[in-house]
Amino acid sequence: MEQITAPRDGAAPNPPDAQGGRRSARALVECLDAIPGVGPTGAKIILAEIGTDMSRFPTPEHLVSWAKLCARTTQSGPKNTAGPTGKGNPWLKGALGEAASAAARTDTFLGARYRRIVKRRGHSKALVAVARSILVIAWHLLNDPDTPYRELGADWHQRHLNPARKTRDLVRQLQALDHTVSLTPAA
């Protein structure tokens, strides 16, 4: 971890902290350790594999693509099919997979995300989606030194649910089952 803080080729190894100095690798590990599922060892592996200089990845999507945690589309003529994500960095994907598996068992936003996706896509794809979310969170934490990790809560999706859309979807489901639906608003 001490070698990570040393600058290479005159480049700054990590972004400045709030006081204008450089954040140490230990401070970055503590910052990444705040993410549910990511422990101190996982944070060290993530930091060692992606580095501290996020200027190489202008957006979190660039980092996700580099790590091969984004969906791939295979096109042949007019037909589009989903393909495997690719190999990527095996050490980073292993650490993120373990972190996603641990986060899936928590009562946090990431755990709720896993439970929402696993119902319709399956265990493996849900773990990859949570690993991708962890990597996006890590990019934001490393890119902006003033950003602490803030847990959104397991009920985030319920709080941001559009009731009119949910009502419309449920009515359509009942009508598809040959039911006549008439709604009256509750007082």
Side-chain angles (χ1 to χ4, degrees), residues 48-59:
E49 294 302 325
I50 65 175
T52 58
D53 182 20
M54 290 295 109
S55 65
R56 294 183 294 166
F57 308 108
T59 64

Side-chain angles (χ1 to χ4, degrees), residues 19 37 63 69 76 90 96 99 135 145:
Q19 290 78 28
L63 176 59
L69 285 173
S76 177
L96 289 172
L135 193 58

